[in-house]
């Protein structure tokens, strides 16, 4: 405070007082100093300080810009009384908190006031009307709450008004229709509700309006069609219902219209043809029906047309293919039929086409790549014929997905002409002629899938594994013959899937070069020779399926030391000798070794009786009861801690396997710890266990003391501890653990088992705070106790999962997404608040809530977890990822989804 005493002018004195209130860990205001002896000139000393601007005579401070200086603290505002001539005040991109000081509203000459990207909180204070000369008010991305300030509408000169990204609640005031000069209004990403006031239609000067990512009631007021100067309108993610008013077509200066992610119904207005300047139209993720209006052919400036995730039908008008400016066409997940417009692409502008999951027929338009197409996504339609010749020379192409169609003929792709291609999926078609031999020239290729083209034939090109960025290579069920190419260089390959082919010869010995390999599936081929020991040394290998081949010799004992191996299957070969004694081999179950007459040792032989449950209906029922009750106790989803789960066997057999990580105990130990009776509650006297196999509403509690000395019981649940943990590492581990548990139930069990009651209180913690999934499958347990068999409960008449089971699986995924959001935000009920916020605002809050600094890797993890959670809570079940895909994304692996 000595410096403040030495200052002779009031401006410098006030600024030094302000500095004393601030947190400046990065010394951004180091030059705010008065020299020894004080200021001997008549000029304002502060005029030379960073962020301070004075008039031409350096006698009056007219602007203060403290933006992006990494400052923090709470402002009292007592210093602002000095700055009567201040015109510009910018505090943006800092970490100021607390309430906004009302003293700022005495700056009557202020024209620009920017406090965006801070953490000011509380209600927006009264007094705004005092800033009668204000032109710009930007408070984007703060933590304000309460109602929107009404008196701001009295500012006659205000042109820019931004209160987006806070926690404002309640309706938009009808007074906001009375702005006289307003050009830009942004209220998105708050907690606003109620009806959108029709008075907004009076805003004749507004050119840009964003009011989405709130939760309104009702629909779009038709009066908004009177905003004659409007160029940009965004009301996305706002819970809007009802039809799109045709009066919006009166917005003849509109260039961008975003109404996606609402509940809008009815037809797309054909009157939109009147909006000649329209360049971006996104109506996706609604419940719109009917066809694309043929009148859209008149929208000559249209660059983006996004109608995906609706219920639209009919054919795509030919005029759409002739739009001269069209760059992006996204109409996937609808019910469109017929052929694509044959002129599509002739405009020389088209960059991205996604028409997947419709009922299109015919061929690919011949000129679709004429303008430098980057993404072509056509999967899950009924396209036929050969690939368009233009595709083979489409040098701009990055992503090509045409799987699940009826394309035929040879694959015309010339990879030497596709320098930027990264993702190719041609699976589930009728291609012939083999894999293009120049695939090794696709230097940026990461994912290649040609599986389920049974007439493809040919061989795997020799240098395939040498592709520098290749991660996934799938060519199962393609009638491919010949030998596996050598693994001279395969540093990035993670997945190799080549099952159900006619591959022969021995496994290449140089597989040790493939240090990234995580999955190898060579089942159902004609491979011979010994299993290379080098496979056991691959550090990331988790799945190795060599079943139904002609391998011989022993199983390499080194697999027992692998920390990553989860599944090993060598069944139906000519393997001989003894199965190595390591416990890891026993965990694979008998199905992993059956069909090898010369192979012996656990778990083959007499020991299988204690693991595999055969026999009568009553015994199978007991097995289900045992497994489900045991899961209540010990289904631990955190990696490598140890759970019981049901893994697919063969010929309808069911097996119980304990994961590595727990001290060794057998199925017999568990049987002794739980009742072998089929009664609702039973406690065998020789066991120290209590297990009530009853419906979840009875709040059942299980406790088992195994012969190893382990006691498994509840230690609180996630509902009780949701607000306790702020450590990101612990949260990330928890999310991954839950995902793994659900992934086991959905994908490693056959048939798949839905949890059925996933919620915070059913995620329990043991003595070491490891998570357990509790009370899964109780409704199915109850059915079995009534005499129903697993087959009748889980499977439909066609042998597929029943529709009710599929619905439960989808609901598990949705609830996983909700729980993940709750973990991210430390909120027991975060659903509504999450969906109403822009992602940028939400991420910032989550970063703050989890006490993350600027560490890029941690923030990337949080961003990825949030992305996965939002995918899982999509409104349409079919749009949610599988738990397998969700786990891949969470683990940093590439998803199979687009």
């Amino acid at each position: 405070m000595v410096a403040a005493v030495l200052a002779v002018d009031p401006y410098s004195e006030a600024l030094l007082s302000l500095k004393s209130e601030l947190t400046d860990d990065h010394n951004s205001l180091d030059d705010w100093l008065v020299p020894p002896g004080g200021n001997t000139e008549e000029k304002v000393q502060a005029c030379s300080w960073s962020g301070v601007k004075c008039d031409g005579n350096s006698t009056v401070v007219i602007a203060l810009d403290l933006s992006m200086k990494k400052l923090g603290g709470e402002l009292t505002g007592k210093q602002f009384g000095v700055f009567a001539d201040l015109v510009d005040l910018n505090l943006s991109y800092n970490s100021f908190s607390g309430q906004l000081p009302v003293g700022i509203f005495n700056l009557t000459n202020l024209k620009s006031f920017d406090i965006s990207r801070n953490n000011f909180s509380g209600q927006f204070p009264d007094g705004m009307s005092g800033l009668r000369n204000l032109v710009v008010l930007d408070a984007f991305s703060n933590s304000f709450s309460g109602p929107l300030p009404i008196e701001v509408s009295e500012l006659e000169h205000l042109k820019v008004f931004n209160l987006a990204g806070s926690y404002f609640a309640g309706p938009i005031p009808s007074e906001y229709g009375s702005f006289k000069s307003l050009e830009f209004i942004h209220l998105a990403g708050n907690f606003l509700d109620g009806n959108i006031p029709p008075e907004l239609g009076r805003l004749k000067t507004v050119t840009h309006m964003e009011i989405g990512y709130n939760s309104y009631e009702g629909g779009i007021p038709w009066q908004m069609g009177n905003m004659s100067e409007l160029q940009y309108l965004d009301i996305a993610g706002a819970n809007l219902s009802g039809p799109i008013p045709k009066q919006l077509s009166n917005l003849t200066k509109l260039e961008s219209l975003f109404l996606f992610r609402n509940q809008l119904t009815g037809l797309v207005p054909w009157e939109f043809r009147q909006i000649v300047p329209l360049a971006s139209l996104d109506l996706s993720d609604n419940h719109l029906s009917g066809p694309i209006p043929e009148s859209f052919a008149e929208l000559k400036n249209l660059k983006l047309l996004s109608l995906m995730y609706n219920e639209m039908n009919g054919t795509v008008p030919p005029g759409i293919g002739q739009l001269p400016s069209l760059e992006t066409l996204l109409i996937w997940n609808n019910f469109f039929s017929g052929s694509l417009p044959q002129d599509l692409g002739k405009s020389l502008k088209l960059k991205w086409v996604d028409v997947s999951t419709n009922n299109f027929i015919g061929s690919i338009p011949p000129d679709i790549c004429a303008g430098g197409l980057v993404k072509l996504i056509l999967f899950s339609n009924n396209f036929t014929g050969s690939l368009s010749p233009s595709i083979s020379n489409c040098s701009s192409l990055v992503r090509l997905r045409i799987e699940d169609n009826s394309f035929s003929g040879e694959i015309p792709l010339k990879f030497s002409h596709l320098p930027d291609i990264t993702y190719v999926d041609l699976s589930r078609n009728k291609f012939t002629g083999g894999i293009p031999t120049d695939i090794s020239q696709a230097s940026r290729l990461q994912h290649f899938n040609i599986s389920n083209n049974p007439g493809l034939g040919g061989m795997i090109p020799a240098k395939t594994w040498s592709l520098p960025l290749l991660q996934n290579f799938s060519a199962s069920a393609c009638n491919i013959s010949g030998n596996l190419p050598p693994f001279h260089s395969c540093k990035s390959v993670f997945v190799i899937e080549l099952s159900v082919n006619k591959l022969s010869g021995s496994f290449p010995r140089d597989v040790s070069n493939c240090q990234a390999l995580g999955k190898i599936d060579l089942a159902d081929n004609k491979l011979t020779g010994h299993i290379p020991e080098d496979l056991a040394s691959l550090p990331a290998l988790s799945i190795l399926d060599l079943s139904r081949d002609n391998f011989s010799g022993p199983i390499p004992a080194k697999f027992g030391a692998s920390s990553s191996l989860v599944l090993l299957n060598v069944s139906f070969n000519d393997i001989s000798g003894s199965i190595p004694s390591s416990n890891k081999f026993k965990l694979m179950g008998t199905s992993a070794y059956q069909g090898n007459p010369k192979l012996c040792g656990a778990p083959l032989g007499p020991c299988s009786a204690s693991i595999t449950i055969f026999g009568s209906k009553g015994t199978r029922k007991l097995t289900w009861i045992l497994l489900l009750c045991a899961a209540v106790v010990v289904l631990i989803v955190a990696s490598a801690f140890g759970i019981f789960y049901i893994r697919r066997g063969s010929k309808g057999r069911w097996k119980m396997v304990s994961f590595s990580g727990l001290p060794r105990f057998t199925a017999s130990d568990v049987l002794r710890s739980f009742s072998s009776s089929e009664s609702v509650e039973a406690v065998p006297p020789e066991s120290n266990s209590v297990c009530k196999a009853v419906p979840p509403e009875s709040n059942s509690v299980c406790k088992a003391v195994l012969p190893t000395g382990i006691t498994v019981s509840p230690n609180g649940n996630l509902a009780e501890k949701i607000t306790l943990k702020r450590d990101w590492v612990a949260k990330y581990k928890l999310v991954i653990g839950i995902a793994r548990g659900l992934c086991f139930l959905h994908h490693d069990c056959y048939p798949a088992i839905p949890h059925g009651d996933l919620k915070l209180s059913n995620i329990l913690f043991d003595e070491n705070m490891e998570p357990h999934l509790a009370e899964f499958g109780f409704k199915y347990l109850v059915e079995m106790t009534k005499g129903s068999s697993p087959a009748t409960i889980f499977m439909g008449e066609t042998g597929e999962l029943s529709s009710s089971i599929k619905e439960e699986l989808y609901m598990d995924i949705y609830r996983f997404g909700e729980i993940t959001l709750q973990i991210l935000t430390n909120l027991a009920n975060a659903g509504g608040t999450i969906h109403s916020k822009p992602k940028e605002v939400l991420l910032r809050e989550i970063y703050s809530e989890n006490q993350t600094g600027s560490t890029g890797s941690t923030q990337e993890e949080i961003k990825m977890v949030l992305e996965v959670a939002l995918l899982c809570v999509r409104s349409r079940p079919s749009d949610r990822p599988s738990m397998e895909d969700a786990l891949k994304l969470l683990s940093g692996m590439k998803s199979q989804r687009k």
Side-chain angles (χ1 to χ4, degrees):
M1 296 305 295
V2 175
V5 175
L6 294 175
V8 295
D9 66 270
Y11 295 108
S12 302
E13 195 169 340
L15 289 174
L16 288 172
S17 173
L18 176 63
K19 178 181 177 181
S20 69
E21 293 180 358
L22 305 180
T23 301
D24 184 12
D25 294 335
H26 296 270
N27 301 318
S28 300
L29 305 180
D30 265 5
D31 64 335
W32 283 26
L33 297 170
V34 175
N39 186 2
T40 59
E41 302 179 6
E42 294 183 1
K43 296 181 179 180
V44 174
Q45 180 69 37
C47 291
S48 62
W49 295 351
S50 60
V52 180
K53 182 180 179 180
C54 298
D55 64 353
N57 298 321
S58 295
T59 57
V60 176
V61 175
I62 60 173
L64 182 60
D65 184 358
L66 301 182
S67 62
M68 294 187 286
K69 292 189 179 297
K70 302 179 180 178
L71 303 173
E74 298 187 14
L75 305 180
T76 63
K78 63 184 181 181
Q79 304 88 354
F80 291 111
V82 176
F83 299 94
D85 298 295
L86 201 67
V87 174
D88 188 346
L89 177 58
N90 190 342
L91 306 177
S92 64
Y93 286 91
N94 284 293
S95 299
F96 295 121
S97 58
Q99 292 195 325
L100 186 67
V102 294
I104 291 177
F105 297 156
N106 295 322
L107 303 175
T108 55
N109 286 310
L110 202 62
K111 291 185 176 180
S112 179
F113 181 36
D114 190 346
I115 55 171
S116 61
R117 290 179 169 85
N118 279 286
N119 198 29
F120 289 110
S121 58
Q123 290 198 12
F124 206 88
D126 295 333
M128 274 298 298
S129 58
L131 301 178
R132 55 183 177 272
N133 292 303
L134 198 65
V135 176
V136 175
L137 172 58
D138 191 348
F140 174 76
S141 189
N142 277 278
S143 297
F144 292 111
S145 57
L148 291 169
I150 295 178
E151 59 180 318
V152 71
S153 61
E154 301 174 19
L155 302 177
E156 294 187 358
H157 302 287
L158 193 68
K159 292 185 177 181
V160 175
F161 180 35
N162 191 343
L163 294 182
S166 271
Y167 300 95
F168 289 108
I172 297 176
S174 59
E175 290 84 351
Y176 279 14
S178 62
F179 284 105
K180 298 292 191 298
S181 306
L182 196 66
E183 297 176 1
F184 179 102
I185 181 170
H186 192 358
L187 305 175
N190 283 290
F191 291 161
L192 303 179
D193 54 27
N195 292 305
I196 296 176
E199 288 82 359
L200 295 183
R202 300 174 185 169
L203 297 173
K204 304 293 187 180
T205 58
V206 170
T207 62
H208 185 113
M209 173 178 278
E210 293 183 64
I211 57 174
Y213 297 99
N214 286 292
S215 188
Y216 302 117
E217 299 171 9
I220 303 170
W222 65 263
Q223 292 88 345
M224 294 186 74
N226 296 328
M227 300 175 67
S228 55
E229 295 297 315
L230 200 61
Q231 299 174 20
Y232 186 104
L233 177 59
D234 186 345
I235 326 180
N239 197 42
L240 297 172
S241 58
I244 300 173
K246 64 181 180 181
Q247 289 84 353
L248 293 187
S249 62
N250 295 328
L251 303 175
T252 55
K253 294 185 178 180
L254 196 66
E255 298 176 3
S256 299
L257 177 59
F258 299 108
L259 300 176
F260 60 87
R261 207 176 301 160
N262 280 293
Q263 309 294 325
L264 298 172
T265 56
L267 305 178
V268 177
W270 66 268
E271 293 89 349
F272 276 6
R273 67 177 182 175
Q274 299 172 206
I275 313 176
V276 176
L278 193 63
S280 298
L281 177 62
D282 193 340
L283 307 178
S284 61
D285 204 356
N286 279 287
H287 298 288
L288 299 172
S289 56
I292 300 174
E294 291 190 11
S295 62
F296 275 23
E298 300 178 34
L299 298 174
K300 304 301 184 183
N301 293 296
L302 196 63
K303 296 180 179 180
L304 165 68
L305 177 59
S306 179
L307 302 172
M308 62 187 185
Y309 283 121
N310 275 291
E311 297 160 20
M312 300 181 69
N313 54 28
T315 60
V316 178
I320 296 296
Q322 299 169 2
L323 290 173
S325 303
L326 190 64
E327 298 177 356
T328 302
L329 177 64
L330 307 176
I331 57 174
W332 46 297
N333 265 50
N334 279 285
F335 300 98
F336 293 119
S337 57
S339 300
L340 290 179
Q342 289 303 292
D343 289 334
L344 195 62
K346 280 187 177 180
S347 65
L348 306 182
K349 297 287 183 65
L350 199 61
K351 297 292 186 289
W352 184 0
V353 174
D354 191 338
V355 302
S356 58
T357 321
N358 279 287
N359 297 308
F360 287 113
I361 59 173
S363 58
I364 299 175
D367 299 306
I368 198 166
C369 194
L373 193 68
V374 175
K375 293 183 180 180
L376 179 60
I377 304 178
L378 311 177
F379 67 81
S380 296
N381 279 286
N382 298 307
F383 289 110
T384 56
S386 59
L387 289 186
S388 169
S390 67
I391 299 297
S392 62
N393 295 310
C394 190
S395 60
S396 56
L397 203 59
V398 172
R399 200 171 182 88
L400 176 64
R401 294 194 60 180
I402 61 173
E403 68 267 27
D404 193 19
N405 279 287
S406 296
F407 288 112
S408 58
E410 294 189 2
I411 300 170
L413 298 180
K414 297 179 180 178
F415 285 102
S416 57
H417 296 171
L418 302 174
D420 297 321
I421 195 76
T422 64
Y423 194 109
V424 176
D425 196 332
L426 312 176
S427 61
R428 287 172 285 164
N429 279 288
K430 300 176 182 178
F431 288 115
T432 58
I435 298 171
T437 56
D438 67 343
I439 189 173
S440 59
Q441 298 187 44
S443 59
R444 296 188 180 181
L445 188 63
Q446 299 175 16
H447 180 105
F448 182 78
N449 190 349
I450 191 70
S451 295
N452 293 292
N453 282 275
L456 183 68
M459 302 171 66
I460 301 172
K463 297 182 180 179
T464 298
W465 313 132
S466 64
L467 285 165
L469 301 178
L470 185 65
Q471 297 176 8
N472 188 307
F473 184 88
S474 299
S476 297
C478 286
N479 202 31
I480 294 173
S481 58
N483 297 338
L484 280 172
F487 295 102
H488 293 319
S489 175
C490 55
K491 61 181 181 180
S492 63
V493 181
F494 180 74
V495 172
I496 295 177
E497 295 174 324
L498 292 168
S499 62
V500 195
N501 281 296
K502 296 180 179 179
L503 294 170
S504 57
S506 60
F507 202 108
R509 298 290 171 177
D510 52 359
V511 69
S512 59
N513 293 320
C514 307
Q515 292 293 295
L517 262 178
K519 177 180 180 180
I520 304 174
D521 187 353
L522 298 173
D524 283 282
N525 279 283
K526 299 179 179 180
L527 296 168
T528 59
H530 289 194
I531 300 172
E533 283 199 359
D534 286 340
L535 278 173
S537 302
L538 296 178
L541 188 64
S542 60
I543 296 175
L544 177 61
D545 193 342
L546 304 178
S547 62
R548 299 185 183 276
D549 278 290
N550 295 318
F551 287 109
S552 58
I555 299 174
K558 285 186 178 180
F559 282 122
S562 172
S563 60
S564 59
L565 192 64
V566 173
L567 173 65
L568 171 67
N569 191 344
V570 296
S571 62
F572 298 98
N573 278 280
D574 193 25
I575 306 295
S576 59
S578 176
I579 298 173
S581 58
S582 170
N583 194 46
K584 183 175 288 290
F585 294 99
K586 299 182 180 67
L587 296 177
M588 302 300 168
T590 56
S591 63
Y593 309 105
Q594 62 187 355
N596 289 284
K598 304 174 187 176
L599 191 63
C600 62
L604 295 180
C607 56
S608 63
S610 65
I611 296 177
T612 306
I613 311 295
F614 294 89
S616 67
K617 173 181 175 182
T619 306
R620 287 195 302 270
K621 188 188 304 181
L622 164 62
T623 305
W624 273 89
I625 294 172
L626 169 63
L627 290 171
L628 292 171
C629 191
V632 175
V633 184
V634 293
L635 181 61
I636 302 171
V637 296
S639 62
F641 179 72
I643 63 172
F644 289 101
Y645 72 98
I646 307 166
R647 182 171 296 280
R648 179 186 293 199
S650 64
K651 300 180 181 178
R653 299 171 184 171
W654 296 83
K655 299 171 178 63
M656 185 174 70
V657 183
S658 61
F659 264 80
S660 58
L662 284 174
R664 295 181 180 178
F665 56 89
T666 68
S668 299
D669 294 329
V670 180
L671 287 167
R672 285 194 296 271
S673 293
F674 291 102
S675 171
S676 59
S677 169
E678 295 186 28
S679 61
V680 172
E681 178 179 354
V683 184
E686 66 275 13
S687 72
N688 298 313
S689 67
V690 177
C691 180
K692 299 179 180 179
V694 291
E697 57 268 19
S698 64
N699 299 318
S700 60
V701 176
C702 294
K703 180 177 181 181
V705 180
L706 299 172
T708 57
I710 294 177
T711 302
V712 184
S713 61
N715 184 20
N717 60 57
L718 188 53
E720 300 167 348
K721 303 179 186 297
I722 189 68
T723 60
L724 298 183
K725 288 192 174 183
R726 298 172 67 89
D727 174 42
W728 171 245
V729 174
K731 286 187 175 185
Y732 184 63
K733 179 181 178 182
L734 178 58
V735 171
I736 289 287
I738 298 170
R740 281 181 174 153
L742 288 175
C743 191
F744 281 128
L745 290 175
H746 289 199
H747 300 284
D748 284 355
C749 300
Y750 183 78
I753 301 177
H755 185 288
D757 192 24
L758 190 65
K759 55 187 177 183
L760 296 177
S761 59
N762 276 345
I763 299 171
L764 312 180
F765 295 97
D766 64 11
E767 296 162 324
N768 298 315
M769 294 308 296
E770 295 285 352
H772 305 237
L773 290 183
E775 296 189 351
F776 81 82
F778 263 109
K779 63 177 68 176
Y780 313 115
L781 173 62
V782 171
E783 290 297 317
M784 283 185 286
T785 61
K786 294 178 180 178
S788 299
S789 70
T792 58
I793 295 173
F794 287 87
M795 311 301 285
E797 295 180 359
T798 62
E800 299 292 329
L801 286 174
S802 67
S803 59
S804 61
I805 294 296
K806 289 180 180 178
E807 290 175 6
E808 289 284 357
L809 294 172
Y810 281 132
M811 185 53 65
D812 276 359
I813 297 167
Y814 185 88
R815 287 172 176 158
F816 168 73
E818 283 190 325
I819 287 174
T820 301
L821 292 174
Q822 292 168 338
I823 292 171
L824 284 172
T825 57
N826 286 350
L827 295 174
N829 184 6
T833 64
I834 292 294
H835 294 296
S836 64
K837 283 187 172 293
K839 193 179 299 181
E840 181 187 61
V841 176
L842 187 58
L843 275 171
R844 180 177 58 78
E845 293 175 358
I846 293 174
Y847 292 156
S848 175
E849 184 65 34
N850 291 280
Q851 299 179 340
T852 61
S854 59
T855 306
S857 60
T858 299
Q859 292 191 356
E860 280 301 311
E861 282 181 354
I862 291 178
K863 185 177 180 180
M864 175 56 74
V865 172
L866 177 61
E867 290 279 1
V868 173
L870 293 177
L871 286 173
C872 291
V873 295
R874 282 179 166 175
S875 56
R876 296 187 185 184
S878 60
D879 297 337
R880 300 166 196 160
S882 67
M883 281 311 306
E884 184 176 42
D885 278 347
L887 182 57
K888 285 180 180 178
L889 285 168
L890 290 169
S891 303
M893 297 160 60
K894 297 292 183 183
S895 172
Q896 301 294 319
R897 296 170 64 85
K898 65 182 173 194

